[in-house]
Amino acid sequence: MEVPPGMPLGVGGEPFEEIEVELPDGALLALYTDGLVESRDHTLDEGLQALRAALDTPDGADGGNAAAGSLEDVCDHVLSTLDTHHGEDDIALLMARMQGLSAESVGDWHLPSAPQSVGRARELAREQLESWGLDGLVDTTELLVSELVTNALRYGEGEIRLRLLLDRTLVCEVWDGGLVQPRRRRARDTDEGGRGLQLVGLLSAGWGSRRTPLGKTVWFELALPDGQSSGPDSVEALLSLW
């Protein structure tokens, strides 16, 4: 997989470029440091060949392909098969198995760069969540979608894209053509604005932004209702900002 060079994985505070790669369901993605595949005893190419061979060979348990096992078993198999005791460099291995979302679990819309898009985005979010049976998240989602779309209109460029993803959590993404990354700031008591991202941080389980080839994406994540706990009250959170 060809990716553009950038800052090392895990280094915060620096922008990075996003790329999109289509992977089939069940595909295995392995992220690793060079200590796993390179040492004084063999070249990088030889180490990469050994890694691929470790994933293609039987794991010794049932004769099946090693990559078909649980992620923990796959990692154990790779680390026990390769030369990981040279002590020359730190070794980190992270694996993920791709599981795509069905079309019914995705809402995706394009909106013009116009003030009317804020209200339209709220309507689309409400209708989508109601169709998923997530009525309890409608108010919070509408509020946060409104904040992100408003920011995209004020500070972004070009067409706006709104996307909702339903998986183990609810993820909302707002795309625009601007390159300036959002920064949360502390508004003064007399300021009429400047609290949008604070509100997103208070009401969501997490939020962030990333660069795309055509601009940026700002996202937030909400936990799905479990019938036992409720998320933060949007009115109380809003009042706490003053």
Side-chain angles (χ1 to χ4, degrees):
M1 183 185 301
E2 296 294 331
V3 297
M7 297 296 293
L9 187 65
V11 176
E14 295 293 333
F16 59 90
E17 182 178 349
E18 178 189 84
I19 64 170
E20 292 189 8
V21 179
E22 289 191 13
L23 298 173
D25 276 359
L28 190 67
L29 179 66
L31 304 175
Y32 51 88
T33 57
D34 57 356
L36 180 67
V37 294
E38 188 175 22
S39 75
R40 295 191 185 96
D41 297 329
H42 57 259
T43 65
L44 176 60
D45 288 339
E46 291 172 340
L48 291 173
Q49 290 178 0
L51 173 59
R52 286 191 287 266
L55 293 173
D56 289 337
T57 55
D59 60 7
D62 56 7
N65 187 282
S70 71
L71 293 179
E72 185 174 359
D73 289 343
V74 175
C75 289
D76 289 342
H77 176 73
V78 169
L79 294 176
S80 63
T81 302
L82 300 186
D83 175 19
T84 58
H85 303 289
H86 49 72
E88 299 172 10
D89 200 355
D90 292 337
I91 294 175
L93 174 62
L94 174 65
M95 289 197 172
R97 184 167 284 116
M98 300 297 102
Q99 181 178 354
L101 296 177
S102 65
E104 292 75 19
S105 298
V106 179
D108 198 349
W109 308 273
H110 292 264
L111 303 168
S113 181
Q116 296 83 355
S117 292
V118 178
R120 180 57 179 156
R122 288 197 300 264
E123 292 175 0
L124 292 169
R126 183 192 319 118
E127 293 170 357
Q128 186 66 70
L129 264 62
E130 289 174 348
S131 72
W132 285 335
L134 297 177
D135 299 63
L137 294 181
V138 168
D139 290 344
T140 300
T141 303
E142 277 192 293
L143 178 59
L144 301 189
V145 163
S146 179
E147 293 293 340
L148 294 193
V149 173
T150 298
N151 282 351
L153 288 172
R154 287 180 177 175
Y155 310 114
E157 299 176 12
E159 185 182 59
I160 296 171
R161 180 183 179 188
L162 170 65
R163 188 163 71 163
L164 295 176
L165 309 172
L166 177 61
D167 193 17
R168 289 174 294 181
T169 62
L170 175 69
V171 177
C172 172
E173 299 176 337
V174 174
W175 307 45
D176 71 74
L179 297 176
V180 178
Q181 297 294 305
R183 293 185 180 274
R184 186 163 58 177
R185 66 182 181 87
R186 182 174 296 277
R188 296 173 297 183
D189 293 342
T190 56
D191 289 344
E192 295 183 359
R195 298 177 176 85
L197 291 180
Q198 291 187 50
L199 190 61
V200 174
L202 281 171
L203 293 178
S204 68
W207 76 278
S209 66
R210 61 182 183 270
R211 285 188 176 176
T212 69
L214 300 177
K216 69 175 179 297
T217 301
V218 185
W219 59 270
F220 67 82
E221 182 179 26
L222 296 176
L224 300 182
D226 57 9
Q228 299 177 350
S229 61
S230 58
D233 182 83
S234 57
V235 175
E236 291 296 330
L238 185 60
L239 292 176
S240 71
L241 298 179
W242 273 269

